[in-house]
Amino acid sequence: MPEIVDLRSDTVTQPTPEMRRAMAEAEVGDDVFGEDPTVRKLEERVADILGKKSAVFVPSGVMGNQIALAVHTQPGDEVVVAERSHIFHYESGAPGQISGVQLRPVGDETGILKPIDVESVVRGAFDWEPRTSLVCLENTVNKAGGLVYPLDDIRRVAEAARAHELALHLDGARLWNATAATGTPESEFSASFDTVNVCLSKGLGAPVGSVLAGSEALIQEARRMRKRLGGGMRQSGILAAAGLLALDHREQLKADHARAKSFADALSRCAAFRVVPPETNIVLFDTLDEDASTVLEKLEEEGVRVVPFGPKTLRATFHRDVTDDGLNHAISTIRKLFG
Ligand SMILES: Cc1ncc(COP(=O)(O)O)c(C=O)c1O
């Protein structure tokens, strides 16, 4: 059996022994009654990091995003998202079913919107138009290879949205990576948004959980919506305990970024690939000679696991369970197979 290097996603990490210990020993209570001290602690800590007044612990990133959509919109509204966004591509059509809203995907392949992308689609002046009520951005942009959403672009788009009295939500599943890459605090990236959802179970390595942050009023409404969706959990301090430790892993994301860069450098030296230099932990690369599925199978046979991202595109994601040995195995496999 070859050594396995799992680069499919940063969600494949195993909880650390410290996390398992903290989970076993967590002080817990019934969180639906607001009585779980470990959940409270996690919510307060994340609200503080994001510079928001309040926060609510939810089971997943999708649930956090969908709760945000529900609290910001009315059925029949339209929500502006980047064409590259996770909310548009990978949330099972939830906005239509849960909030009764339609999505308006805009922008180019970078997933970074310009003010005009928002200004040109705002509508609602006539009875026959849906009413635009919300803009959602994503940072980092997963489908654009973990691109950091530049602070200036966020501010410009937010200004355009505010001019039209639109609410703003940030899908910050990997906001931690944006901060690790730029040194800009999470709170600065978050300041333009009414709500921000962050994930603990991606690069930070917690087994479960996301946190949605915003004003006290919005988060109170979010708690009602979480319950409605079946996301009210009881002794969930067991999960929050791992989440609290995960927050201490933020600095270590820089090591994932460095490994992603080394892997991308190796790919770029190979005529078989075109690679976008990564800003964070996600490497997108095009296969120039063969289909992505053929390349994926060849890599898989050598124990290097990646995911397809299009007929000629693959994605490799670096995370805390990829060691230097794993990186070297992935690089030597690329050299061995593709020269
Ligand atoms: C940008 C982004 N948002 C949201 C999610 C959803 O998170 P979850 O899988 O926890 O529902 C993901 C998952 O990969 C993601 O990449």
Side-chain angles (χ1 to χ4, degrees):
M1 273 292 282
E3 181 189 348
I4 304 287
V5 189
D6 196 342
L7 303 176
R8 288 172 303 158
S9 171
D10 49 9
T11 55
V12 301
T13 53
Q14 292 288 316
T16 62
E18 293 76 25
M19 280 179 178
R20 289 180 186 271
R21 238 186 333 270
M23 292 170 82
E25 290 166 8
E27 203 186 327
V28 297
D30 188 332
D31 183 54
V32 173
F33 292 156
E35 289 173 3
D36 190 303
T38 311
V39 172
R40 287 286 92 88
K41 196 166 159 193
L42 175 69
E43 291 173 340
E44 281 164 21
R45 184 139 173 240
V46 173
D48 189 50
I49 293 169
L50 300 180
K52 301 295 179 200
K53 280 271 184 297
S54 189
V56 58
F57 185 44
V58 294
S60 68
V62 170
M63 192 183 285
N65 283 337
Q66 294 307 320
I67 290 174
L69 259 67
V71 301
H72 289 303
T73 62
Q74 296 295 320
D77 283 358
E78 189 161 78
V79 175
V80 180
V81 293
E83 199 285 327
R84 292 254 141 177
S85 66
H86 193 275
I87 291 176
F88 179 52
H89 282 275
Y90 303 124
E91 303 200 359
S92 318
Q97 181 164 26
I98 294 171
S99 298
V101 295
Q102 64 186 29
L103 298 180
R104 183 75 182 261
V106 297
D108 60 21
E109 69 283 353
T110 62
I112 310 290
L113 304 188
K114 298 173 197 65
I116 189 71
D117 294 323
V118 172
E119 282 158 355
S120 59
V121 298
V122 176
R123 50 194 183 145
F126 302 104
D127 292 350
W128 53 86
E129 290 178 340
R131 192 181 291 122
T132 310
S133 52
L134 173 67
V135 177
C136 298
L137 306 184
E138 187 175 309
N139 199 7
T140 61
V141 187
N142 176 6
K143 218 171 153 49
L147 270 193
V148 175
Y149 214 117
L151 199 52
D152 282 349
D153 288 290
I154 293 176
R155 288 179 178 152
R156 277 196 282 269
V157 171
E159 206 177 307
R162 296 293 179 212
H164 294 277
E165 296 177 4
L166 310 181
L168 281 147
H169 169 70
L170 175 65
D171 176 355
R174 296 184 183 78
L175 182 60
W176 323 112
N177 296 83
T179 289
T182 59
T184 303
E186 291 89 349
S187 57
E188 246 179 89
F189 279 123
S190 302
S192 301
F193 298 92
D194 299 293
T195 49
V196 179
N197 192 68
V198 285
C199 290
L200 305 166
S201 61
K202 309 235 156 27
L204 299 188
V208 179
S210 290
V211 182
L212 177 66
S215 68
E216 272 167 16
L218 282 170
I219 297 308
Q220 200 178 326
E221 207 41 41
R223 284 185 194 283
R224 178 181 292 275
M225 194 62 206
R226 179 185 67 168
K227 189 73 181 123
R228 201 173 275 153
L229 293 177
M233 301 177 284
R234 301 293 176 171
Q235 284 71 33
S236 40
I238 289 197
L239 302 173
L244 280 163
L245 287 178
L247 292 173
D248 296 336
H249 293 160
R250 286 178 289 155
E251 266 298 299
Q252 297 169 22
L253 294 173
K254 288 178 186 164
D256 300 342
H257 299 180
R259 291 192 183 104
K261 190 174 173 310
S262 301
F263 183 66
D265 286 347
L267 287 169
S268 68
R269 281 193 284 276
C270 220
F273 303 114
R274 182 172 47 228
V275 59
V276 184
E279 290 188 1
T280 57
N281 65 326
I282 298 176
V283 183
L284 282 191
F285 55 106
D286 295 330
T287 56
L288 302 180
D289 302 332
E290 299 170 292
D291 284 344
S293 55
T294 310
V295 174
L296 183 141
E297 271 168 38
K298 287 182 179 174
L299 289 172
E300 183 96 29
E301 273 167 28
E302 299 292 327
V304 178
R305 310 189 74 185
V306 295
V307 285
F309 237 55
K312 287 271 195 182
T313 308
L314 293 168
R315 186 190 77 172
T317 305
F318 286 77
H319 52 79
R320 49 185 295 107
D321 286 2
V322 181
T323 59
D324 280 336
D325 283 350
L327 168 68
N328 291 335
H329 176 59
I331 290 176
S332 57
T333 301
I334 292 287
R335 288 198 188 122
K336 183 172 97 179
L337 294 178
F338 305 102

